[in-house]
Amino acid sequence: MTQRERREFLIRYLFQEKPEYKDIELPCSDDEQKYLFRSLVNVRPPVPASEEFIRVQNEYLAEENRSRGITDIADLSPLVGDLYLWRGDITTLKVDAIVNAANSGMTGCWHPNHSCIDNCIHTFAGIQLRAVCADIMQKQGHEEPTGQAKITPAFNLPSKYVIHTVGPIVGEKLTQADCDLLASCYKSCLNLAKEKGCQSIAFCCISTGVFRFPADRAAEIAVETVQEWKNQTGDKIKVVFNVFSEKDEIIYRRVLNERN
C-alpha cells in the first residue's frame, strides 16, 4: 500500500466505527486527509481495533515519522556534562524516554488537532497509547495527582518509553507549592526512567504552556532538580532539555551556563 492508500484505509475504518460519521466525505488533498485522520484519532475512545487497522496504522505512522525526520541523541553534543539542550519536535527525538506534559486524566488530549505536546505524542504514537493509558487509569481508580508520573511504551515513536507527568496549574500568583510540585514532576520522571534502566531522557517544558508556569522559573527548577537528582543518585543518565521556541532555548542556555 502507498502512504495515501494506508491513510484512506484508516480514515474509512474510523468512519465505520461511528454512524454519525457516515455523511463525512473523504477529502482529496493529502493535507486535508492528514488533518481529518488526526482529528478522528484525537476523539477516538480507547476501544479495541482490528489487527489489520493496527498493522496499517503502524506502517503509516512509521513512514510519517521517518518523513518528519528523526534526531538521535547519539548525534547531539551535550552542553554541560550529561545535559543537552535541543530545540525541535520531541516526537521526532530518539532517546530512551520522552516526557509528556499530561493532564490528570492521563489519556491524551481530546481536542482535534490541538497543538499541545500531549496531542502530538498520542497522535504519532498511535491509538495503542491511549488504550494503555486508559487501562492504567482504570486500575488506579482516580485521577493522576500533580507531581507524579506514569510510564508507558512509546509504540510508534522513535523513543522506547513515554513518561506522562501532570504539572502544576498556576493561579493568580506563583506559589512555593507550585515550585515544589514542578520539581516533583522531574524527580518522578527520573525515578521511573532509572527503574526502567533508561540511559537517556528528554524533558519538555512542563507546565509552561496553558498551565501558566513562568518559563524562567520553570527552567531554573528543571535544571536544579535534575542536577540534584543526578548528584544524589550518581546516575549517569543523559538528560535532554527539549524546547520548541527560540525564547525557551535562550532561557535554558542561560540557566545551564549560569549553573556550570
Side-chain angles (χ1 to χ4, degrees):
M1 297 173 75
T2 66
Q3 193 69 340
R4 184 182 180 90
E5 288 170 341
R6 294 187 185 107
R7 185 171 56 245
E8 291 183 352
F9 167 84
L10 296 171
I11 290 173
R12 290 192 176 98
Y13 182 99
L14 295 170
F15 278 170
Q16 293 173 1
E17 286 188 327
K18 293 282 189 178
E20 57 265 37
Y21 295 160
K22 63 182 178 63
D23 295 326
I24 301 178
E25 295 185 2
L26 184 65
C28 294
S29 76
D30 288 345
D31 287 344
E32 287 178 319
Q33 285 187 2
K34 289 180 181 182
Y35 187 93
L36 176 59
F37 173 65
R38 181 168 177 170
S39 297
L40 292 170
V41 167
N42 292 160
V43 299
R44 184 182 187 273
V47 295
S50 71
E51 291 184 5
E52 185 180 18
F53 179 90
I54 296 296
R55 177 182 60 79
V56 174
Q57 176 215 238
N58 292 351
E59 293 172 353
Y60 175 76
L61 290 176
E63 181 57 33
E64 284 294 294
N65 289 334
R66 277 194 297 269
S67 68
R68 293 188 304 127
I70 294 173
T71 299
D72 194 321
I73 188 175
D75 298 325
L76 302 178
S77 298
L79 188 63
V80 177
D82 294 327
L83 306 183
Y84 295 68
L85 176 60
W86 181 72
R87 179 154 63 104
D89 182 347
I90 200 170
T91 65
T92 66
L93 188 57
K94 185 177 182 181
V95 289
D96 285 345
I98 62 171
V99 173
N100 177 27
N103 57 56
S104 59
M106 297 289 278
T107 56
C109 171
W110 292 73
H111 299 285
N113 282 275
H114 195 258
S115 60
C116 71
I117 189 172
D118 198 14
N119 189 296
C120 295
I121 286 175
H122 276 264
T123 295
F124 294 108
I127 64 169
Q128 302 98 307
L129 184 55
R130 175 166 287 172
V132 74
C133 286
D135 184 60
I136 290 171
M137 297 309 291
Q138 183 178 21
K139 291 176 181 176
Q140 178 165 285
H142 57 81
E143 292 188 337
E144 184 72 359
T146 303
Q148 297 187 20
K150 294 287 188 292
I151 190 167
T152 66
F155 297 101
N156 291 289
L157 297 172
S159 57
K160 295 178 182 177
Y161 300 103
V162 178
I163 301 179
H164 313 258
T165 189
V166 182
I169 300 174
V170 177
E172 293 182 3
K173 182 180 179 181
L174 182 67
T175 66
Q176 185 58 48
D178 294 327
C179 296
D180 292 342
L181 286 169
L182 184 61
S184 179
C185 287
Y186 284 91
K187 287 184 283 189
S188 296
C189 291
L190 288 165
N191 288 334
L192 285 176
K194 182 177 174 63
E195 288 176 16
K196 289 292 185 179
C198 294
Q199 297 181 16
S200 57
I201 184 173
F203 283 101
C204 62
C205 300
I206 303 168
S207 278
T208 59
V210 295
F211 283 10
R212 301 185 299 276
F213 207 108
D216 291 78
R217 184 66 185 121
E220 292 170 354
I221 291 170
V223 174
E224 178 182 340
T225 304
V226 167
Q227 288 181 322
E228 287 181 352
W229 183 91
K230 285 175 67 66
N231 289 335
Q232 291 170 0
T233 62
D235 199 290
K236 300 301 182 183
I237 189 170
K238 297 177 180 178
V239 177
V240 180
F241 294 105
N242 165 244
V243 297
F244 200 69
S245 70
E246 182 179 5
K247 177 183 176 182
D248 285 330
E249 182 179 12
I250 292 171
I251 290 172
Y252 267 90
R253 191 173 298 278
R254 173 183 58 78
V255 172
L256 284 163
N257 286 332
E258 285 177 353
R259 290 190 58 84
N260 294 276

